Amino acid sequence: MATEEMERLVRREYTQGFVTDIESDTVPPGLDESVIAFISQKKGEPQWMLDWRLEAYHQWLKMKTPSWAHLDYPPIDYQAISYYSAPKKPEDRPQSLDEVDPKLLETYEKLGIPLHERAALAGVAVDAVFDSVSVTTTFKEKLAEAGVIFCSISEAIRDYPELVKQYLGSVVPQGDNYFAALNSAVFTDGSFVYVPEGVTCPMELSTYFRINAANTGQFERTLIVCDKRAQVSYLEGCTAPQRDENQLHAAVVELVALEDAYIKYSTVQNWYPGDEDGKGGIYNFVTKRADCRGDRSKVSWTQVETGSAITWKYPSCMLRGKDSVGEFYSVAVTNGRQQADTGTKMIHIGENTKSTIVSKGIAAGRSDQAYRGLVKVGPRARNARNFTQCDSLLIGDRCGAHTFPYQEIGNSTATVEHEATTSKIGEDQLFYCRQRGIAEEDAVNMIVNGFCKDVFQELPMEFAVEAEALLNVTLEGAVG
Amino acid sequence: MSDKTQPSAGQRFLDRLKARDAVRGAEPTWIAARRQAAAARFEAIGFPDKRVEQWKYTDVRRIRDGEFALADDADFSPAQAAALTLPIEAVRLSFVDGVFAPELSDTGALPAGASVEPLTRALSDNHEAVGAVLGRLTGVEFSPFAALNTAFAEEGAIIRLAPGTVVETPILLQFLSRAGEQPVMSHPRVLIQAGARSQATVLEHYVGEPAAANFTNVVAEAVLERGALLTHYTLQESPLDDLLVRSLQVEQGRDSRFTSFTVNLGGALVRNDLVADLNAQGAEANYYGLFFAQGRQHVDNHTLVNHNAPLTFSNENYKGVLGDRARGVFNGKVVVKRDSQKIEAHQSNANLLLSDRAEIDTKPELEIYADDVKCSHGATTGQLDEDAVFALRTRGIDEQTARGLLTLAFAGEVMEQVGLDAVAERVELTVAGKLPERFNLGGLVEAALLDEQAFEEVPGHDRND
Amino acid sequence: MLEVKDLHVSVDGKEILKGLSLTVNAGEVHAIMGPNGAGKSTLSSVIAGKDGYEVTAGSITFEGRDVLEMEIEERARAGLLLGFQYPVEIPGVKNIYLLKAALNAQRAARGEGEIPAPEFMKLVKEKLAFMKMDPSFLQRAVNEGFSGGEKKRNEILQMLVLEPRLAMLDEIDSGLDIDALKVVAEGVNSLRSEERAVLMVTHYQRLLDYIVPDKVHVLLDGRIVKSGDKDLALELESRGYEWVQEESAA
């Protein structure tokens, strides 16, 4: 679509206040209808999508930022944020690894990131490093053969509008919460996955793709739909430290599992946590929700959260289908001045629904961490089962660990169990390891990794190894 | 506690207060000033609604929209009172709809160094001594109900124990609710000052005529000096249409021990707040609670332990049994302040749902800012163990009785801690009568109490003394 | 090899060791015996560097180095290894992982590279077989859910893999049945060599039937009050500790 034509279309609808210069690649800070129209137009979206965004925007205007979380940060000026900037051009990026900060490379080394991924992660102009096209093509062919759709959400809006219309916002409605509403209005990109009936996705949607996903920006939108008897394992994020000029991140992830479908969603989040005073770190406000719509469907969330200055995140499952299953396995590590308020919600609606929550929190330095969880059993959820294990480990006497589990049980056939412990890292265990000659820091890592074992074993294999390494890097300097 | 402005929601109460102020006799200026400040506070915040986290699960509109008068006399049929009074030897203060009833009171058995008197008498003796302590722990900021209480309070109980005083006889504070043409409200205050190394057992008993539908709003405070031991019972058997909001805040000195039993059996809408501040090393707080609710009863227990000093300990165990369309709320919070090292805090809440329409909302919270701690909490909600039901039936016990016995056994862990036999028996009998009819336990428990060997499963059978 | 001189140690302000002196030479096996509360476990804990023990006077040197100046892990890497009376459980950490990390830490301290995986597996399997332990032990978390006997075997297995210069065994026989005791003793005996020494702390003479000591010391009230050869242990067994007490008081 020609630029003039777009401009004309947009003008027709929004003559009032539409001032943004559409030639530019970046909009000035601030949010109004014209900015949203600009984003939509840049993405070449149809009218219904723009309408949907604007509807979200109007809801957002009426909302207040949530204040219930155990977080302390200065108010965000939403008019000071720029909501669209084009990705960096290849010539502006480092041309080879030699131009990349050696400290960053050292971290990659420690994390055991495969060599061929390091350049891409460091933002080196991809063409200069390896032929990404051929890799992409191989994967795409394999997926196409299986009938799996995996593309950016922008492409999906263009190429699969019916699917997007049917499912977008059906799990996290536009006005669900403050940050979800903001995301709905201004999301710039993200992923779309559709696995057709009876298909098991032939590969983990991970390794290569996570590099490509690195630039999806601050308002990511992900939609994954698993049709009847379909299965997929999706991996988001990366153990490599990620920096971003945009301080505010507000992503929305929606998962839909139909009858007998299984979605496994794994996240490793390592956004920049800020300097030692916590300055400049990413604020990460994420809404993730799965709708286990079909009978016997299953969704499993696994997350390893080590980054961000502020984390606000509660991957949830709506267990609607009979015999549907929700799982949440989480490791959250905070150090320095990081703050995290994270957990899950398991909403039991259908009969015989089952959920498992295993949360391991490690707080070090001057960080503050809270587990916040809700297990709700509705009146029709006969024989619902939940088991929650929620443990916190404290390293040092200046950090905080908090547990806020809500249970709302409205059915006498429900069995809900919650156990939580909070303790410092075991002196006896440390002494034992050191008495075997293991350095204190290594001993701490070893014990912490052991503490997190139940969660790591839920991660895809190669990712688990990286996650352990990531934990060690995150806790550097936490002792001694 | 956070505030939500909701002006004019409590206007009816403020009007009632104004009318009362006009007829009340002269008071010391500090009392009048406090009333005024409390009224202003209440006017500013009004009654809490569900958006206030502390009241998320408890709807107080039945109180807010009620029309409650204030009682002026303490007339109560002596026969009725005798039937309701706990059959224990005790130092006793009785209040009828908040008004002190001397003829139902008896403080003769007190040892030297101990005084138990109604608030009005304590004020007339030395109002400044009372004013120095009263309200120090529970200010008007604590909750809208604390503000309301402070604005209205006229009567209550003041318990003072000089250092080293040991009171063997339980001190019973009896709050009687009367059935009348118009519902009434009362705002009693309780203040317990336990001097160093003193020991006492205090029992708050809420009971009344079955047809009563009154609102009782209690604020209780207890100060435990070094080494003081206080055991506190709340036996709440209010009439089934009564509304009860009460708070107890405790301040603990070094090596003091506070043990609380909160037993909730009656009332239409009940809210209990229990707060202990462990301010010096060696202080220990134990919270035990039991709530049984059926019909449309609503019982809310909010507890908080603040570990403000190193080497302090807390332990909490609450059990809930909910039938019919009853709703239970448990919110237990443990806070360990920065540098309060070597803490042990354990908390447990287990609930049994007997009916599909019953609901429990439970939230055990830990907020920890020190690292050398051992803290844990657990919350479970479930139903009776079917294997155990089966096992009892194989011994020839019919199913309903088996379920009833197991339900009582569920409460046993807490009941075993109850040291006052009369209280335990009262609870067992009441609970047995209150379990859904199909469990048909009334006669059985009585028999079991008579012949303790017959039913090993009945909790409390092995209690010594 | 190990030289303890006039060691005074307090725990929470209470003096437990009151001037203990002890010399252990390479190639020797020493047994320290004494009644409960004499300070036996305190001695090995202090040598290993456990927190909470305050050395108020005296010295400990190991091969000429001042042990009290060394970090816990430095002592271990120098070859001072403690077999715990109550080995701690470490959930989630596999035995194999601990062994490898410990061995590599020791090698690194000696300036050697990491042990190649096949070589390591061969070594561990050999030692496992010697201790009559099932290979599945390696995949279990350190001591988690182990029986008392399994824990003690695991301690000796670590010794066999890490080959300490001085093995300190704190009540290694407690909680062992006779078969397990034999296996543990065989493990310890296999450590005996001209370059190495063993320091055992025990309550009972029984252990010394299987690990025959060169020297036996009686620890009473924070001091070594009598030393002798293995016959002293037998005498203690038949006569108890009172006579030593009386003798030393005399």
Side-chain angles (χ1 to χ4, degrees):
Chain A
M1 198 184 283
T3 309
E4 300 97 298
E5 198 182 342
M6 277 199 295
E7 196 179 8
R8 193 176 53 78
L9 276 172
V10 173
R11 274 230 178 93
R12 192 187 58 198
E13 292 293 325
Y14 301 100
T15 34
Q16 294 297 314
F18 188 67
V19 292
T20 313
D21 174 12
I22 57 155
E23 294 297 330
S24 108
D25 272 344
T26 305
V27 285
L31 183 58
D32 57 21
E33 290 186 355
S34 75
V35 169
I36 292 164
F38 176 85
I39 293 169
S40 183
Q41 171 196 29
K42 273 280 180 191
K43 298 265 157 202
E45 288 175 357
Q47 185 63 39
W48 63 265
M49 195 64 240
L50 176 59
D51 291 344
W52 194 85
R53 285 177 181 273
L54 289 168
E55 210 177 288
Y57 172 68
H58 287 294
Q59 293 191 38
W60 179 75
L61 284 177
K62 293 191 204 104
M63 297 168 93
K64 281 187 187 151
T65 64
S67 59
W68 40 262
H70 196 279
L71 298 170
D72 183 20
Y73 58 95
I76 298 167
D77 181 358
Y78 293 91
Q79 295 304 331
I81 294 169
S82 172
Y83 289 86
Y84 183 86
S85 60
K88 269 188 183 166
K89 291 185 183 113
E91 55 268 30
D92 298 335
R93 299 165 164 219
Q95 296 301 305
S96 79
L97 276 176
D98 300 339
E99 294 174 34
V100 173
D101 181 1
K103 263 201 156 163
L104 193 63
L105 296 178
E106 196 186 306
T107 310
Y108 290 171
E109 180 77 41
K110 282 184 194 165
L111 292 171
I113 307 254
L115 277 173
H116 70 273
E117 287 182 26
R118 294 185 193 177
L121 287 171
V124 172
V126 173
D127 294 343
V129 191
F130 68 102
D131 185 6
S132 67
V133 180
S134 67
V135 181
T136 318
T137 314
T138 319
F139 283 157
K140 288 231 159 168
E141 273 171 10
K142 221 169 154 188
L143 289 173
E145 224 168 85
V148 175
I149 300 169
F150 178 42
C151 60
S152 74
I153 194 96
S154 311
E155 282 176 77
I157 290 166
R158 203 174 56 225
D159 300 341
Y160 310 99
E162 291 314 310
L163 279 176
V164 175
K165 263 192 212 169
Q166 188 182 345
Y167 291 109
L168 189 75
S170 73
V171 184
V172 180
Q174 290 137 298
D176 186 79
N177 67 68
Y178 191 79
F179 300 108
L182 180 64
N183 174 288
S184 300
V186 303
F187 71 87
T188 37
D189 221 327
S191 305
F192 174 76
V193 178
Y194 175 77
V195 188
E197 198 170 327
V199 171
T200 297
C201 186
M203 70 186 73
E204 237 151 42
L205 299 181
S206 60
T207 321
Y208 171 72
F209 298 99
R210 72 184 193 211
I211 300 170
N212 274 3
N215 280 320
T216 43
Q218 59 189 132
F219 300 105
E220 195 172 341
R221 184 101 197 178
T222 302
L223 173 60
I224 298 177
V225 181
C226 235
D227 216 320
K228 293 174 185 168
R229 302 187 315 285
Q231 290 191 21
V232 67
S233 170
Y234 185 90
L235 221 146
E236 168 212 43
C238 178
T239 53
Q242 288 178 284
R243 284 176 180 262
D244 194 296
E245 293 140 31
N246 303 303
Q247 195 175 30
L248 174 68
H249 280 237
V252 171
V253 175
E254 297 178 275
L255 310 183
V256 180
L258 302 184
E259 267 170 48
D260 297 292
Y262 174 36
I263 302 174
K264 184 175 176 67
Y265 193 104
S266 313
T267 306
V268 171
Q269 185 266 113
N270 190 18
W271 290 106
Y272 181 55
D275 65 13
E276 51 202 30
D277 295 323
K279 276 194 186 127
I282 302 286
Y283 292 2
N284 198 24
F285 298 93
V286 184
T287 305
K288 290 185 166 181
R289 193 174 304 152
D291 189 351
C292 290
R293 227 167 264 188
D295 292 351
R296 296 169 303 280
S297 57
K298 177 177 175 181
V299 167
S300 181
W301 298 100
T302 305
Q303 61 172 29
V304 177
E305 300 279 319
T306 64
S308 298
I310 307 274
T311 301
W312 180 99
K313 182 177 176 185
Y314 317 92
S316 308
C317 293
M318 314 273 293
L319 302 169
R320 268 185 231 281
K322 282 183 193 166
D323 298 291
S324 60
V325 175
E327 295 177 339
F328 175 76
Y329 298 96
S330 170
V331 166
V333 190
T334 51
N335 198 352
R337 293 266 184 183
Q338 284 177 278
Q339 300 177 59
D341 193 300
T342 183
T344 183
K345 290 191 231 174
M346 292 291 174
I347 315 293
H348 292 259
I349 299 161
E351 287 180 18
N352 299 318
T353 46
K354 230 176 101 182
S355 63
T356 304
I357 299 170
V358 177
S359 166
K360 304 280 180 173
I362 299 124
R366 290 177 167 268
S367 68
D368 232 320
Q369 191 175 123
Y371 167 83
R372 188 181 301 278
L374 168 66
V375 175
K376 190 179 173 84
V377 178
R380 283 178 298 132
R382 288 194 66 79
N383 297 317
R385 296 278 179 274
N386 163 269
F387 174 75
T388 302
Q389 177 74 47
C390 179
D391 298 318
S392 305
L393 199 61
L394 294 144
I395 303 176
D397 61 359
R398 298 283 109 179
C399 51
H402 321 300
T403 318
F404 308 108
Y406 294 69
Q407 284 182 12
E408 301 178 5
I409 315 299
N411 191 298
S412 67
T413 59
T415 301
V416 177
E417 287 175 68
H418 173 96
E419 286 173 23
T421 61
T422 303
S423 54
K424 74 187 289 195
I425 191 158
E427 294 288 350
D428 292 349
Q429 295 172 346
L430 268 180
F431 178 63
Y432 190 85
C433 293
R434 294 178 72 192
Q435 220 299 308
R436 296 295 173 255
I438 297 164
E440 189 175 15
E441 190 158 273
D442 294 338
V444 168
N445 285 338
M446 198 183 262
I447 293 164
V448 169
N449 273 307
F451 174 78
C452 298
K453 210 73 189 173
D454 296 345
V455 174
F456 285 158
Q457 69 193 16
E458 297 297 324
L459 283 171
M461 186 58 186
E462 81 277 16
F463 222 59
V465 177
E466 284 184 31
E468 285 193 22
L470 173 59
L471 220 66
N472 301 350
V473 172
T474 308
L475 287 174
E476 266 177 19
V479 284
Chain B
M1 202 168 282
S2 64
D3 310 331
K4 277 279 171 343
T5 39
Q6 202 185 47
S8 84
Q11 196 52 49
R12 204 174 300 129
F13 285 78
L14 291 166
D15 292 345
R16 181 77 64 182
L17 180 66
K18 217 171 267 172
R20 188 69 171 189
D21 285 343
V23 298
R24 203 187 284 118
E27 287 183 315
T29 48
W30 66 265
I31 297 180
R34 281 194 202 180
R35 280 192 205 288
Q36 214 162 28
R41 170 75 183 172
F42 178 75
E43 188 168 16
I45 57 175
F47 285 101
D49 63 24
K50 293 186 171 211
R51 286 171 299 175
V52 179
E53 179 69 20
Q54 297 276 348
W55 297 88
K56 184 178 163 85
Y57 298 114
T58 295
D59 185 340
V60 300
R61 279 178 300 183
R62 286 185 69 168
I63 298 170
R64 188 192 72 185
D65 300 339
E67 185 73 65
F68 302 105
L70 290 159
D72 277 316
D73 65 76
D75 299 341
F76 207 84
S77 123
Q80 181 85 332
L84 294 172
T85 299
L86 271 187
I88 55 170
E89 192 192 320
V91 172
R92 180 179 295 114
L93 288 189
S94 291
F95 304 89
V96 174
D97 291 335
V99 182
F100 179 57
E103 62 283 4
L104 298 175
S105 303
D106 175 11
T107 56
L110 279 173
S115 84
V116 175
E117 51 185 352
L119 174 63
T120 40
R121 193 182 302 158
L123 284 173
S124 67
D125 285 354
N126 183 348
H127 71 84
E128 275 155 355
V130 174
V133 189
L134 196 74
R136 186 164 66 77
L137 301 183
T138 309
V140 296
E141 300 79 23
F142 180 76
S143 81
F145 290 96
L148 207 54
N149 174 291
T150 307
F152 276 102
E154 290 176 4
E155 192 52 279
I158 305 290
I159 299 171
R160 294 178 176 120
L161 307 169
T165 308
V166 175
V167 185
E168 302 279 0
T169 320
I171 298 164
L172 172 60
L173 307 179
Q174 180 170 252
F175 297 92
L176 294 159
S177 182
R178 260 182 319 200
E181 268 165 34
Q182 200 197 345
V184 294
M185 62 177 169
S186 59
H187 301 271
R189 296 293 293 215
V190 175
L191 175 63
I192 303 167
Q193 287 177 268
R197 302 175 319 284
S198 64
Q199 294 179 29
T201 297
V202 174
L203 167 57
E204 293 176 29
H205 187 208
Y206 298 88
V207 70
E209 295 176 326
N214 301 320
F215 166 45
T216 306
N217 177 31
V218 191
V219 171
E221 297 162 283
V223 180
L224 275 65
E225 308 281 357
R226 183 171 184 154
L229 305 179
L230 176 66
T231 304
H232 184 277
Y233 290 86
T234 301
L235 176 58
Q236 187 274 109
E237 301 181 285
S238 299
L240 287 171
D241 285 319
D242 255 25
L243 312 167
L244 175 66
V245 176
R246 51 177 294 280
S247 68
L248 169 57
Q249 273 193 280
V250 186
E251 181 185 78
Q252 292 188 241
R254 187 173 172 131
D255 298 326
S256 63
R257 188 170 74 219
F258 169 70
T259 303
S260 162
F261 294 89
T262 308
V263 178
N264 283 285
L265 305 168
L269 171 64
V270 178
R271 161 68 176 241
N272 293 300
D273 275 282
L274 177 58
V275 181
D277 275 284
L278 308 182
N279 288 347
Q281 123 177 14
E284 176 186 325
N286 299 299
Y287 291 179
Y288 300 98
L290 201 57
F291 50 98
F292 281 76
Q294 59 174 357
R296 284 181 168 267
Q297 280 182 285
H298 181 109
V299 186
D300 178 347
N301 281 291
H302 267 61
T303 70
L304 171 62
V305 181
N306 288 312
H307 288 266
N308 299 330
L311 284 161
T312 48
F313 311 96
S314 68
N315 180 39
E316 176 165 16
N317 192 349
Y318 268 66
K319 300 245 182 185
V321 178
L322 301 156
D324 301 335
R325 305 188 68 172
R327 190 162 179 199
V329 180
F330 173 78
N331 190 122
K333 186 167 184 168
V334 171
V335 180
V336 177
K337 294 270 159 69
R338 181 83 68 219
D339 296 323
S340 292
Q341 300 291 8
K342 308 244 181 260
I343 301 296
E344 269 201 53
H346 302 287
Q347 192 187 58
S348 160
N349 168 234
N351 305 295
L352 200 57
L353 295 182
L354 299 177
S355 134
D356 262 5
R357 306 181 79 176
E359 183 175 335
I360 175 75
D361 300 301
T362 174
K363 188 172 150 218
E365 298 176 76
L366 296 172
E367 214 174 310
I368 296 168
Y369 297 93
D371 67 329
D372 195 357
V373 299
K374 283 197 185 113
C375 299
S376 69
H377 65 213
T380 60
T381 299
Q383 49 282 310
L384 292 175
D385 178 356
E386 291 302 324
D387 291 343
V389 174
F390 176 74
L392 287 177
R393 292 177 68 189
T394 62
R395 293 191 196 169
I397 297 170
D398 72 86
E399 181 176 351
Q400 287 174 355
T401 309
R403 288 185 185 279
L405 277 173
L406 289 168
T407 304
L408 276 181
F410 169 80
E413 204 177 71
V414 170
M415 290 300 297
E416 279 163 17
Q417 304 290 333
V418 173
L420 285 177
D421 265 12
V423 174
E425 281 171 24
R426 185 77 169 226
V427 170
E428 280 165 15
L429 291 172
T430 316
V431 167
K434 281 204 162 196
L435 285 172
E437 211 171 303
R438 60 199 154 99
F439 294 154
N440 188 29
L441 259 178
L444 192 64
V445 174
E446 272 178 271
L449 289 169
L450 289 171
D451 179 6
E452 299 194 346
Q453 304 307 311
F455 293 94
E456 295 271 294
E457 291 84 355
V458 177
H461 72 281
D462 57 351
R463 222 176 18 257
N464 304 318
D465 220 358
Chain C
M1 183 183 260
L2 179 76
E3 188 82 46
V4 180
K5 273 190 197 155
D6 191 32
L7 188 67
H8 291 255
V9 176
S10 297
V11 177
D12 291 333
K14 187 172 177 264
E15 188 161 59
I16 307 289
L17 296 184
K18 303 168 178 171
L20 183 144
S21 296
L22 176 71
T23 305
V24 179
N25 296 311
E28 294 177 348
V29 173
H30 288 237
I32 293 183
M33 304 188 69
N36 283 333
K40 299 192 303 287
S41 292
T42 300
L43 177 62
S44 51
S45 295
V46 169
I47 296 174
K50 196 173 164 99
D51 267 358
Y53 295 88
E54 197 196 346
V55 176
T56 51
S59 67
I60 305 172
T61 50
F62 181 66
E63 302 193 312
R65 296 174 69 183
D66 181 355
V67 170
L68 296 176
E69 285 300 306
M70 294 160 79
E71 289 290 330
I72 298 165
E73 52 267 38
E74 274 184 82
R75 302 179 196 201
R77 290 170 192 169
L80 276 169
L81 222 59
L82 174 62
F84 287 73
Q85 183 180 5
Y86 303 109
V88 66
E89 300 186 4
I90 312 180
V93 176
K94 289 177 182 172
N95 275 302
I96 182 91
Y97 188 43
L98 177 80
L99 277 173
K100 197 170 177 184
L103 184 59
N104 281 329
Q106 203 183 75
R107 289 170 68 105
R110 289 199 299 260
E112 296 167 23
E114 291 197 356
I115 184 168
E119 198 183 308
F120 174 71
M121 283 316 294
K122 188 168 166 282
L123 172 74
V124 171
K125 279 189 176 152
E126 191 186 298
K127 304 299 185 193
L128 265 177
F130 189 86
M131 290 306 293
K132 300 189 168 58
M133 293 165 82
D134 191 272
S136 65
F137 266 83
L138 297 176
Q139 300 304 323
R140 290 169 62 186
V142 177
N143 295 322
E144 197 181 31
F146 284 25
S147 70
E150 285 174 330
K151 283 182 183 171
K152 293 299 172 73
R153 279 190 211 202
N154 199 26
E155 291 297 287
I156 304 300
L157 175 73
Q158 290 174 10
M159 297 254 169
L160 295 184
V161 171
L162 299 174
E163 301 193 308
R165 304 265 298 134
L166 174 67
M168 297 182 286
L169 306 172
D170 189 2
E171 306 271 3
I172 198 72
D173 52 330
S174 68
L176 292 185
D177 62 32
I178 197 73
D179 293 328
L181 179 61
K182 280 182 187 163
V183 174
V184 164
E186 270 176 53
V188 176
N189 285 327
S190 77
L191 277 172
R192 295 178 85 148
S193 84
E194 283 308 305
E195 297 90 56
R196 275 198 274 276
V198 176
L199 178 62
M200 296 183 284
V201 165
T202 184
H203 196 70
Y204 299 107
Q205 196 271 334
R206 184 179 75 151
L207 175 68
L208 307 185
D209 290 342
Y210 298 94
I211 309 171
V212 181
D214 299 304
K215 294 211 169 126
V216 173
H217 310 276
V218 180
L219 182 60
L220 273 182
D221 193 27
R223 280 186 211 94
I224 287 179
V225 294
K226 196 172 176 62
S227 298
D229 59 12
K230 63 181 193 309
D231 294 338
L232 176 58
L234 292 171
E235 202 169 352
L236 288 170
E237 173 86 349
S238 59
R239 297 177 64 185
Y241 291 103
E242 290 80 8
W243 66 276
V244 191
Q245 209 152 10
E246 283 156 19
E247 197 175 86
S248 67

